[in-house]
Amino acid sequence: MQTLHVELGDRRYPIFIGSHLDPQALLEPYIKGKQVMIVTNETVAPLYLKHYVTALEALGKKVSTCILPDGEKYKNIEHLNLIFDALLEAGFNRDCTVLALGGGVIGDMAGFASACFQRGVYFIQVPTTLLSQVDSSVGGKTGINHPLGKNMIGAFQQPQVVLADMAQLKTLPPRELSAGLAEVIKYALLGDAEFLTWLEEHMDKLVQGDETLLAEAVYRSCAHKARIVANDEKEQGERALLNLGHTFGHAIESYLGYGEWLHGEAVATGMVMAADLSCKMGWISQNDLERTRKIIARAKLPIVCPQIPLDDFLGYMAHDKKVLNGQLRLILMKNIGQAVITKEFDIDLMKQAILENQQS
Amino acid sequence: MQTLHVELGDRRYPIFIGSHLDPQALLEPYIKGKQVMIVTNETVAPLYLKHYVTALEALGKKVSTCILPDGEKYKNIEHLNLIFDALLEAGFNRDCTVLALGGGVIGDMAGFASACFQRGVYFIQVPTTLLSQVDSSVGGKTGINHPLGKNMIGAFQQPQVVLADMAQLKTLPPRELSAGLAEVIKYALLGDAEFLTWLEEHMDKLVQGDETLLAEAVYRSCAHKARIVANDEKEQGERALLNLGHTFGHAIESYLGYGEWLHGEAVATGMVMAADLSCKMGWISQNDLERTRKIIARAKLPIVCPQIPLDDFLGYMAHDKKVLNGQLRLILMKNIGQAVITKEFDIDLMKQAILENQQS
């Protein structure tokens, strides 16, 4: 087991990364009060819920559960409210702990609920997908979607502790493992050329679910994100780099309807578009663009999106949070392993990069 | 005009207190971005909305408005969502400002919406009731009610600036002015015996709406609250003193249904119950209890509540947030002007204090 500490001043917390982790021993120091609400979904509950209920009850906790339907389309205010209902119906007070057992949607919703319930209670994350292990376990971003935009309503809420158990990835559908690898690749592309070389060496085994290599990839990804977040917790600057591929990706997700493509799939194609625009701007070489396409394809991720009318695509991009005072900023690559946030790009080249990475 | 600075480290902010304040000059330095959403209600909008829209437009801002129905019963998740709808339909991004123009309900909802929208945008408060001027303008508590409890869902969100304009109290119904005075009296009872003497001297003119005296009462109340909040922003200890009368008061409000009695009225009777229990415990004298009753009655506030079955009353008290690990804590008085948070009280005397301060 490896331990990574996310350094956020008085809200420093550990991420435990390994296989077959022991929740009873690892979680005990991080639970506040006697009441623990496990928030999970209908897919994860039959697989892992009992394991965690048993572990927490062995610690003498009063454990309640809130089982939500599975899917991004339930990441809304109505289903958030079901968590509040469960907390209050179980008589929870402000000295309680909310534990998220599931992927990114569950982490976002349970985390946001824990930030708001009684104006803030303890939060623990047990991410059960690769995507949530490398993404939402670091950074404290929580929230819900609104019909007019993704993650428009939320809070920064840091967990007390995160358990990232590779053994739980065994039950993850291959498509979701690949979606997680999209974010892993993102860390390499935006800030770590050496990590990209490592991924090029090991991608085939990663796709096959090698737990030791996956643990290493999770550790490196979280360490990378943790460094950036520690420098810029509230996303005033550097943290925006983590959105490489996301502005394009959000447009793809929004057009197709949330849940049609997985978030990681949309980000994958979004990164190709960002790399292509970076290449068209003369910042990265054609060879770097092909390396980008190839590592994404080897992770079994899409490198083109379905045909989307340009006006629709641009409209969804304008709804993205990276629009500052009406001016679109993008995360592009000055080099492989060196992303920048910039509004200094050619809008026509951007349109070409969107159109040329769609299915013909 | 007086200026009070609430000291909260990097989130220090001013409260401007006076009559006929100029929003254009006073607000300009505290607005982020070009987009301002004014959240108000159907009662306040016809009186003051145009004044603020005009002032902000003169500053070159794009001003949108969200007008909610008036009343505590609308302080719920459905009406909170109307604010998010308004923000997104107007195309607001993360560089925007939410301005609350109204009483405590509007301040709580707009503040909570500003804390959650895009994970946090700027917030400005223009409290238009005496209660919200002396209570919600300091402390950053925002939130909404849930059918199972008051203020169960919320956030700590500090405003950038607060304008407390006494001239706006002219349109306040006398019953609401009195409800505000309940909180003013609370500051005296919990921590400032000299302020109680001042209130005993000036109560008749305060009830009549004397703007100069009201400004002084608001300044002293906010200064008192600001000192406590600066010491204990997240309510780990001392801040709980501000809940003098509130645990009893919440039970009264909950039983009668939110909105039947005003919050300040319930707190007024709650303070009588707390004082009575403090007297029965031998901590304050019979004379101090009578001073408490008399100043509350002179503010035209109720000193007894309707008959409420004891079991119901206790049940609602147990839902209060002051229950820590199942143990009820109360704010009682060791002396006039010296409140304490304690679980060391006689439960039978508490029941007597509840029953003896009901209508016979």
Side-chain angles (χ1 to χ4, degrees):
Chain A
M1 186 186 83
Q2 298 185 80
T3 304
L4 177 72
H5 287 281
V6 181
E7 300 292 349
L8 284 165
D10 60 342
R11 280 158 304 134
R12 184 179 194 259
Y13 67 90
I15 303 177
F16 298 117
I17 302 164
S19 286
H20 301 289
L21 301 174
D22 174 7
Q24 191 175 331
L26 292 173
L27 294 183
E28 182 173 25
Y30 302 97
I31 296 172
K32 189 176 185 190
K34 287 206 176 309
Q35 305 167 319
V36 182
M37 174 65 68
I38 303 181
V39 179
T40 187
N41 68 32
E42 290 168 351
T43 306
V44 175
L47 297 168
Y48 302 114
L49 181 55
K50 190 166 170 236
H51 180 56
Y52 287 90
V53 171
T54 305
L56 294 169
E57 286 180 345
L59 292 172
K61 304 299 173 188
K62 178 197 166 197
V63 184
S64 301
T65 61
C66 175
I67 303 175
L68 299 173
D70 185 10
E72 176 95 17
K73 67 172 177 270
Y74 303 107
K75 191 172 132 177
N76 55 29
I77 203 163
E78 290 77 21
H79 288 81
L80 176 75
N81 207 23
L82 294 180
I83 306 177
F84 296 133
D85 291 346
L87 286 162
L88 285 161
E89 282 161 13
F92 275 37
N93 59 39
R94 63 166 64 167
D95 292 290
C96 70
T97 300
V98 174
L99 186 151
L101 176 66
V105 171
I106 288 296
D108 281 4
M109 294 183 72
F112 186 37
S114 77
C116 298
F117 182 63
Q118 310 262 10
R119 297 198 189 90
V121 298
Y122 269 33
F123 175 45
I124 289 175
Q125 272 184 291
V126 183
T128 59
T129 66
L130 180 60
L131 175 61
S132 57
Q133 286 173 351
V134 298
D135 185 17
S136 45
S137 19
V138 183
K141 279 190 181 182
T142 66
I144 54 173
N145 299 327
H146 182 278
L148 292 178
K150 207 169 141 76
N151 293 320
M152 286 289 147
I153 303 159
F156 288 95
Q157 167 81 335
Q158 305 297 342
Q160 304 300 313
V161 59
V162 177
L163 293 199
D165 195 328
M166 300 306 122
Q168 292 171 351
L169 300 182
K170 279 215 182 67
T171 50
L172 196 66
R175 191 178 160 198
E176 291 207 32
L177 191 74
S178 290
L181 287 170
E183 296 280 343
V184 173
I185 293 166
K186 184 190 77 178
Y187 295 112
L189 293 177
L190 74 88
D192 192 345
E194 190 276 326
F195 186 32
L196 182 63
T197 306
W198 187 90
L199 288 172
E200 288 172 333
E201 192 176 336
H202 297 296
M203 186 50 78
D204 298 339
K205 287 202 163 177
L206 286 166
V207 169
Q208 288 159 24
D210 182 299
E211 288 183 22
T212 307
L213 288 170
L214 281 170
E216 179 65 19
V218 169
Y219 183 90
R220 287 201 193 203
S221 298
C222 289
H224 209 88
K225 184 165 183 183
R227 267 196 307 277
I228 293 176
V229 169
N231 287 339
D232 181 22
E233 186 183 352
K234 297 290 174 70
E235 195 163 349
Q236 304 300 307
E238 184 186 357
R239 184 165 178 172
L241 297 179
L242 296 171
N243 291 312
L244 177 64
H246 280 61
T247 301
F248 297 105
H250 279 175
I252 298 171
E253 278 184 290
S254 301
Y255 180 80
L256 299 178
Y258 295 134
E260 191 62 33
W261 267 28
L262 297 175
H263 175 68
E265 293 170 339
V267 168
T269 302
M271 289 191 294
V272 171
M273 290 174 176
D276 195 354
L277 175 53
S278 305
C279 181
K280 289 184 198 306
M281 293 292 297
W283 297 340
I284 68 171
S285 66
Q286 190 67 37
N287 182 52
D288 288 336
L289 172 58
E290 287 317 312
R291 276 182 81 188
T292 302
R293 281 211 176 90
K294 193 166 175 192
I295 192 71
I296 289 172
R298 284 178 64 204
K300 316 246 183 250
L301 288 162
I303 55 172
V304 293
C305 69
Q307 282 196 357
I308 299 174
L310 190 59
D311 282 349
D312 290 338
F313 204 106
L314 298 176
Y316 283 115
M317 286 179 83
H319 259 115
D320 192 89
K321 277 174 290 183
K322 263 67 68 189
V323 177
L324 189 67
N325 283 323
Q327 172 103 46
L328 183 66
R329 297 176 302 162
L330 285 178
I331 319 301
L332 298 175
M333 283 185 276
K334 285 283 182 178
N335 267 305
I336 282 283
Q338 193 199 335
V340 291
I341 174 160
T342 180
K343 53 188 185 191
E344 305 299 328
F345 54 86
D346 186 297
I347 197 82
D348 290 322
L349 294 178
M350 183 187 84
K351 291 176 185 172
Q352 283 182 32
I354 293 169
L355 291 171
E356 291 173 10
N357 293 286
Q358 299 193 355
Q359 282 162 4
S360 54
Chain B
M1 186 186 83
Q2 298 186 80
T3 305
L4 178 73
H5 287 280
V6 181
E7 300 292 349
L8 284 165
D10 59 343
R11 281 160 303 133
R12 183 178 195 260
Y13 67 90
I15 304 177
F16 298 117
I17 302 164
S19 286
H20 301 288
L21 302 175
D22 174 8
Q24 190 176 332
L26 293 172
L27 294 181
E28 182 172 24
Y30 302 98
I31 296 171
K32 191 179 185 188
K34 288 207 177 306
Q35 305 167 317
V36 182
M37 175 65 67
I38 303 180
V39 179
T40 187
N41 68 32
E42 291 169 350
T43 306
V44 174
L47 296 169
Y48 303 114
L49 180 55
K50 190 166 172 237
H51 180 56
Y52 287 90
V53 170
T54 304
L56 294 168
E57 286 181 345
L59 292 172
K61 304 300 172 186
K62 180 196 163 196
V63 184
S64 301
T65 61
C66 176
I67 302 175
L68 300 174
D70 184 11
E72 176 95 18
K73 66 172 178 278
Y74 303 106
K75 191 173 132 176
N76 56 29
I77 203 163
E78 291 78 21
H79 288 82
L80 176 74
N81 207 23
L82 294 181
I83 305 177
F84 296 133
D85 292 345
L87 286 162
L88 286 161
E89 282 161 13
F92 274 37
N93 59 38
R94 62 168 63 168
D95 292 290
C96 69
T97 300
V98 174
L99 186 152
L101 176 66
V105 170
I106 288 296
D108 282 4
M109 295 183 72
F112 186 35
S114 77
C116 297
F117 182 63
Q118 309 262 11
R119 298 197 187 92
V121 296
Y122 269 33
F123 175 45
I124 289 176
Q125 273 184 289
V126 182
T128 59
T129 66
L130 180 61
L131 175 61
S132 58
Q133 288 174 348
V134 298
D135 186 17
S136 46
S137 34
V138 183
K141 281 191 180 180
T142 67
I144 54 173
N145 299 326
H146 182 281
L148 292 177
K150 205 170 143 75
N151 293 319
M152 285 291 147
I153 303 158
F156 287 95
Q157 170 79 337
Q158 305 298 341
Q160 304 300 314
V161 58
V162 177
L163 292 200
D165 194 330
M166 299 307 121
Q168 291 170 350
L169 299 183
K170 279 215 181 70
T171 50
L172 196 66
R175 192 178 159 196
E176 291 209 32
L177 191 75
S178 291
L181 287 170
E183 297 280 342
V184 173
I185 293 167
K186 184 190 77 176
Y187 294 112
L189 292 177
L190 74 88
D192 192 345
E194 190 275 327
F195 187 30
L196 182 62
T197 304
W198 186 88
L199 288 173
E200 288 172 332
E201 191 177 336
H202 298 296
M203 185 51 77
D204 298 337
K205 285 199 165 180
L206 287 166
V207 170
Q208 287 159 22
D210 182 299
E211 288 183 24
T212 308
L213 288 170
L214 281 170
E216 179 65 20
V218 169
Y219 184 89
R220 286 200 191 204
S221 298
C222 289
H224 208 89
K225 185 166 183 184
R227 268 197 305 278
I228 294 177
V229 169
N231 287 338
D232 180 23
E233 187 182 349
K234 296 291 174 68
E235 193 161 351
Q236 304 300 306
E238 183 188 358
R239 183 165 177 172
L241 297 181
L242 296 173
N243 291 309
L244 176 65
H246 280 62
T247 302
F248 296 105
H250 278 176
I252 297 170
E253 276 183 290
S254 301
Y255 180 81
L256 299 179
Y258 295 135
E260 192 62 33
W261 266 28
L262 297 175
H263 176 67
E265 292 169 339
V267 167
T269 304
M271 288 192 293
V272 171
M273 290 175 176
D276 195 354
L277 175 52
S278 303
C279 181
K280 288 184 200 306
M281 293 294 295
W283 297 340
I284 67 169
S285 66
Q286 189 67 36
N287 182 51
D288 288 336
L289 173 57
E290 288 316 311
R291 275 183 82 188
T292 303
R293 280 209 176 92
K294 192 166 174 192
I295 192 71
I296 290 171
R298 282 179 64 203
K300 315 243 183 252
L301 288 161
I303 56 172
V304 295
C305 70
Q307 282 196 359
I308 299 174
L310 189 59
D311 282 351
D312 289 338
F313 203 106
L314 299 175
Y316 283 114
M317 286 179 82
H319 258 115
D320 191 89
K321 280 175 289 185
K322 264 65 69 188
V323 177
L324 188 69
N325 284 320
Q327 173 104 45
L328 182 65
R329 297 176 301 161
L330 286 178
I331 319 301
L332 299 176
M333 283 185 274
K334 285 284 183 178
N335 266 307
I336 282 285
Q338 192 198 339
V340 292
I341 175 161
T342 181
K343 53 188 186 191
E344 305 300 327
F345 54 85
D346 187 297
I347 196 83
D348 289 322
L349 294 179
M350 183 188 83
K351 291 177 186 173
Q352 282 180 34
I354 294 169
L355 291 172
E356 293 174 8
N357 293 286
Q358 299 193 356
Q359 283 160 3
S360 53

